[in-house]
Amino acid sequence: MEKELQDKIEELIASKKIFLFMKGTPDAPMCGFSAGVTNVLRSLGADYNSFNVLSDMSVREGIKEFANWPTIPQLYIDGEFIGGHDIVVEMARSGELQKKIGT
């Protein structure tokens, strides 16, 4: 991965305690999995930033390499990769996600 792209991804992740790479925006998700993660975050009252990977193909492909995770959405908390839709939903069910985000 190019250093410039890696730096951009790292800056995005560092811009907020909770950061979500998704398809679309929180108000207009463009896939069911992205909608599911935003719904979980909204239900927990989480304050987060997001990036619409459909707006930048280099980030869309780069984030998959960055996290070594093939799918989007991807959730980061305190700079740590948490996972995608299924992991986020399961963590919310177990209460683990609430502990990580401090709600």
Side-chain angles (χ1 to χ4, degrees), residues 26-72:
D27 292 331
M30 299 296 285
C31 82
F33 295 115
S34 290
V37 173
T38 59
N39 287 340
V40 167
L41 294 173
R42 187 174 292 121
S43 74
L44 299 176
D47 181 25
Y48 67 98
N49 282 352
S50 66
F51 184 87
N52 177 4
V53 299
L54 300 177
S55 71
D56 187 326
M57 292 307 289
S58 65
V59 173
R60 181 179 184 173
E61 293 308 312
I63 194 62
K64 295 174 185 179
E65 182 182 339
F66 182 85
N68 196 23
W69 191 261
T71 59
I72 294 162

Side-chain angles (χ1 to χ4, degrees), residues 3-103:
K3 173 128 177 58
E4 185 177 315
L5 178 57
Q6 182 168 339
D7 289 348
K8 179 178 182 175
I9 290 170
E10 288 173 353
E11 285 174 20
L12 286 167
I13 292 167
S15 71
K16 194 83 167 183
K17 175 184 172 72
I18 304 168
F19 196 90
L20 178 65
F21 289 91
M22 64 181 291
K23 293 179 181 173
T25 65
D27 292 331
M30 299 296 285
C31 82
F33 295 115
S34 290
V37 173
T38 59
N39 287 340
V40 167
L41 294 173
R42 187 174 292 121
S43 74
L44 299 176
D47 181 25
Y48 67 98
N49 282 352
S50 66
F51 184 87
N52 177 4
V53 299
L54 300 177
S55 71
D56 187 326
M57 292 307 289
S58 65
V59 173
R60 181 179 184 173
E61 293 308 312
I63 194 62
K64 295 174 185 179
E65 182 182 339
F66 182 85
N68 196 23
W69 191 261
T71 59
I72 294 162
Q74 292 186 13
L75 182 66
Y76 291 78
I77 299 175
D78 290 325
E80 174 190 357
F81 174 60
I82 302 301
H85 174 269
D86 294 351
I87 291 169
V88 170
V89 169
E90 183 54 40
M91 287 178 71
R93 278 195 193 117
S94 72
E96 189 178 349
L97 187 63
Q98 292 85 328
K99 289 177 190 162
K100 279 206 170 284
I101 65 174
T103 61

